[in-house]
């Protein structure tokens, strides 16, 4: 996984609002750990009890969903 989200230019409250709207708890938690708490991919996978292969698949889907929601809210 080479692509990361750069959330540094987005208001933290906006991020929290979008995360709260995410209905998939696993995606929400993955984004929280990886991008807000800045845990590594390996740490995040371990915390979520996932294999690395499964993590990379879910990571991609979670990022796509999160970015779609940010755009829908007019945040990015």
């Amino acid at each position: 996984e080479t692509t990361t989200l750069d959330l540094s230019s987005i208001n933290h409250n906006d991020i929290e609002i979008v995360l709260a709207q995410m209905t998939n708890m696993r995606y929400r938690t993955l984004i929280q750990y990886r991008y807000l708490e800045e845990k590594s991919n390996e740490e995040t996978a371990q915390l979520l009890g996932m294999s690395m292969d499964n993590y990379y698949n879910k990571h991609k889907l979670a990022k796509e969903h999160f970015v779609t929601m940010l755009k829908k809210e007019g945040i990015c």
Side-chain angles (χ1 to χ4, degrees):
E1 187 70 30
T2 58
T3 307
T4 60
L5 289 173
D6 180 9
L7 302 180
S8 62
S9 65
I10 301 174
N11 182 295
H12 187 74
N13 289 334
D14 290 339
I15 294 169
E16 292 292 336
I17 289 167
V18 171
L19 281 175
Q21 294 174 3
M22 292 179 76
T23 56
N24 186 314
M25 185 62 122
R26 184 163 273 200
Y27 289 0
R28 182 187 329 173
T29 305
L30 190 152
I31 297 295
Q32 176 79 34
Y33 286 154
R34 183 67 185 94
Y35 296 100
L36 298 181
E37 297 180 21
E38 299 180 351
K39 298 194 181 301
S40 70
N41 288 322
E42 292 76 12
E43 289 171 316
T44 302
Q46 183 177 26
L47 287 166
L48 295 172
M50 296 179 174
S51 68
M52 288 308 296
D53 286 340
N54 189 31
Y55 169 79
Y56 285 123
N57 290 329
K58 297 302 180 197
H59 185 197
K60 180 179 182 225
L61 294 171
K63 282 195 313 185
E64 289 171 358
H65 184 64
F66 185 65
V67 169
T68 297
M69 293 187 69
L70 288 172
K71 288 178 181 176
K72 181 180 168 187
E73 293 295 319
I75 296 171
C76 80

